[in-house]
Amino acid sequence: MTPKDQKRFKVGELRPSQALTTFGVGAIIDLPNLSVMVMGLNDWPLKDTVEIGLQRLLDSVRDVLGAQVAALRSAPVVPDTRQVNPFDPSALVGIPVAPFPRWMVCPYCRRLAPLGSGLFKLETPYRTDQIRYVHANCTKPGKPPTVVPARFVVACKNGHLDDFPWRDFAHNGPTTCTGGMKLLEPSATGEAASIFVQCEGANCGAIRPMSDAFKMDLKALPVCKARRPHLRDHDECGCKTPLGLDMRMEPMLQGASNSWFGITLTALAIPQASGKLKQLVEDHWTVLEKVQSEQNIELLQTVTTQLRDLSEYTATDIWQAVQAKKTAPPDEGGDPSDLKTPEWEVFTDPDSAEKGRDFQLRAVPPPKRYAKYFETVVLAERLREVRALVGFSRIESPSDYDNPTAFPENQRARLSRTQPTWVPASEIRGEGLFFHFKEDLIQKWVKENKALDGVFLEAHRRWRIARKLEPPDEFYPGLRFVLLHSFAHALIRQLSVECGYTTASLRERIYSRNPGVDEPEMAGVLIYTAAPDSEGTLGGLVSLGRPGTLERHLDQALDNVRLCASDPLCAEHHPYRDGTTLHAASCHACLFAPETSCERGNKYLDRAVLVPTVETGEGSELAFFR
Ligand SMILES: [Zn+2]
Ligand SMILES: [Zn+2]
Ligand SMILES: [Zn+2]
Ligand SMILES: [Zn+2]
Ligand SMILES: [Zn+2]
């Protein structure tokens, strides 16, 4: 590999929020001619990132990653230009990436070799999206063909990833044969059974179908070497199973949906202080924290716009508030990993919440027909959501846990070689609708439907046992969660169909806690806009919350889920009887939402808890909305 190859190049036009959700550290991105991996934080150009303030979230990130984390920062801001020479130093902004997998195939002669073999030559046109490697000495006459990534990789449950062990695999075990390799695909079905890897070594001729890779028993799979391509290293601690055995790598198709899951913590910016000035100081703390004197504030007020929201206050007033905050005793407030309880407290007492640039609530009466189900409906006229990436996983999804901080530490892949001093974050300003369910009604309903609660609990147990997660009952969210979650999905689907939101731009945030613990019960659903450019559409979602309009949408949302195009099959679906799916009457045609909208990977959903279905029948006691 030439030093030039090792240089990073930028991938143009990634939005900061995409950088986190789709293109996070350790994820593989398909470019037109190449697949690349997003590199670890050590490679990120800090100077192009912007600090994002949200103390509550930062505390929670520190709780997971350690006290050395000093800031949440945006992804590098990429200048809006397509004509960039990727190896021009000035283009080294944006998300740093490197080619992965490193084994490539020539589509013409089927030569299979790693980039380090020197067989493939890098071509760097001026458009980043056309970077490619070509097979320079191909048997094909004329222009050398562009090679493509070999689509198989191996991964382990602790987040490691490696190139597929092509040579050992073709030879049915470790080998010293150095013959040239080919990846044959006689028929273009794309199925593993019709793809063969062959060794062309003299007197060798080893050949094996790729389908074998997916049939091997555990012991035949390669032992994990703890490779971390995003950090360009191998974890020196190695890789073991929870029982201390050698971890085996599993074959995986590149681009498989379980090849990368971001582990993110999400919080809403809620008022942390009483009094308008105090709250404004809180909102601008990333700037004001660094201020050393009243003169600093005067300067900021005159030469920048950073403090324009505080223009009605004098520098003296602001300086006093800053000093008061700096000398205030540290807040003893609660468990930093519990990001939702403080939000729940504000949403259920909206009148006492200080209005600010990032947060503005207005309670409205629920629609008449729904008054018996909801305490209030709260219009969140302004919201700011911040998401921070604390790691990622492969194979196992963090949405199997009720809180990403509960994801096992040994399965969480690290973002950097050293303890991170910052983590990538994205912020979104938007608006939302909050539904505060009546607690007594929920408790009564759960009590009446113990049977279904038991079914979901059993499904939950089986799901965790299949993944060797101990203890099996842990993190069971309860039937209350199934109800709130199904309600959120029904409403997201309705609002997106009727109001032109793409489903992916609406998100749910479920506030659910069963009685019996020290903390207050929670039963609430927030639906909010989550598109990064949603600032331009402020007011659209909130206007749907007016009682008359909302009543129509609720009627429609609930009516929509009575029947599914896949009924009666969908309505009959059982959470574990035909494979453990963790959802009941629910599918892509009726209740599922895009992964980016859903907190729990489309699990714990059931239409029948909302309304009667063809399975439960009219007058069903299970339907919450009778
Ligand atoms: Zn070739
Ligand atoms: Zn051979
Ligand atoms: Zn591993
Ligand atoms: Zn369905
Ligand atoms: Zn969901």
Side-chain angles (χ1 to χ4, degrees), residues 400-557:
D400 295 350
Y401 297 82
D402 73 336
N403 183 336
T405 57
F407 193 77
E409 196 181 338
N410 59 330
Q411 292 186 11
R412 191 183 68 229
R414 301 169 57 129
L415 299 175
S416 58
R417 281 186 289 273
T418 46
Q419 294 290 348
T421 54
W422 65 281
V423 296
S426 66
E427 69 179 334
I428 288 161
R429 286 194 160 78
E431 53 176 328
L433 295 175
F434 177 81
F435 297 85
H436 182 182
F437 282 69
K438 285 204 164 143
E439 178 61 31
D440 51 351
L441 196 64
I442 294 249
Q443 292 201 13
K444 182 166 161 281
W445 176 83
V446 170
K447 227 174 252 157
E448 286 165 1
N449 292 287
K450 277 246 155 50
L452 185 65
D453 201 7
V455 169
F456 269 99
L457 174 59
E458 182 56 24
H460 178 86
R461 275 196 198 117
R462 291 179 186 220
W463 175 271
R464 285 178 59 88
I465 288 168
R467 282 156 188 76
K468 303 192 173 57
L469 300 171
E470 289 284 340
D473 287 7
E474 196 176 23
F475 302 128
Y476 174 60
L479 199 59
R480 161 191 305 251
F481 182 86
V482 177
L483 172 66
L484 299 171
H485 193 202
S486 304
F487 172 78
H489 279 225
L491 196 59
I492 284 179
R493 290 179 69 108
Q494 163 65 15
L495 296 179
S496 57
V497 169
E498 283 283 307
C499 313
Y501 289 102
T502 60
T503 38
S505 72
L506 291 175
R507 276 190 191 153
E508 69 189 3
R509 197 158 168 84
I510 314 287
Y511 299 85
S512 173
R513 190 187 290 120
N514 297 312
V517 285
D518 290 346
E519 283 162 294
E521 294 95 30
M522 298 196 287
V525 168
L526 175 69
I527 308 290
Y528 61 111
T529 54
D533 45 9
S534 62
E535 198 147 23
T537 64
L538 276 182
L541 186 56
V542 157
S543 71
L544 303 176
R546 285 193 305 260
T549 317
L550 187 59
E551 183 163 80
R552 190 167 54 79
H553 285 297
L554 288 171
D555 285 350
Q556 193 67 51

Side-chain angles (χ1 to χ4, degrees), residues 19 33 36 143 200 221 224-225 240 248 252 261 276 392 409 453 462 471 518 577 596:
N33 304 307
V36 294
K143 226 173 120 212
E200 295 197 310
L221 292 167
C224 181
K225 292 187 219 124
K240 297 283 179 199
R248 303 282 169 168
M252 185 183 267
F261 298 100
K276 194 172 170 199
F392 64 87
E409 196 181 338
D453 201 7
R462 291 179 186 220
D518 290 346
R577 214 173 280 145
T596 46

Side-chain angles (χ1 to χ4, degrees), residues 182-203:
K182 284 201 164 174
L183 191 64
L184 305 173
E185 209 171 338
S187 62
T189 63
E191 281 166 32
S194 67
I195 303 174
F196 298 85
V197 55
Q198 185 184 32
C199 174
E200 295 197 310
N203 308 321

Side-chain angles (χ1 to χ4, degrees), residues 368-386:
K368 229 186 246 139
R369 255 205 311 285
Y370 292 87
K372 64 180 204 196
Y373 307 111
F374 303 122
E375 294 287 348
T376 47
V377 172
V378 179
L379 311 180
E381 295 168 322
R382 283 166 183 270
L383 283 182
R384 181 168 73 104
E385 179 217 64
V386 183

Side-chain angles (χ1 to χ4, degrees), residues 79-148:
D80 188 16
T81 167
R82 299 182 75 100
Q83 300 290 319
V84 177
N85 176 348
F87 294 118
D88 175 346
S90 71
L92 289 180
V93 291
I95 314 285
V97 296
F100 192 90
R102 302 196 59 87
W103 282 73
M104 309 285 280
V105 191
C106 172
Y108 184 79
C109 70
R110 306 305 303 177
R111 170 66 62 217
L112 170 69
L115 290 176
S117 67
L119 285 177
F120 306 131
K121 226 181 95 221
L122 181 69
E123 287 206 342
T124 56
Y126 280 89
R127 283 188 44 177
T128 28
D129 57 353
Q130 288 182 3
I131 284 177
R132 58 174 170 263
Y133 285 86
V134 297
H135 188 192
N137 293 313
C138 187
T139 49
K140 179 178 182 277
K143 226 173 120 212
T146 299
V147 297
V148 297

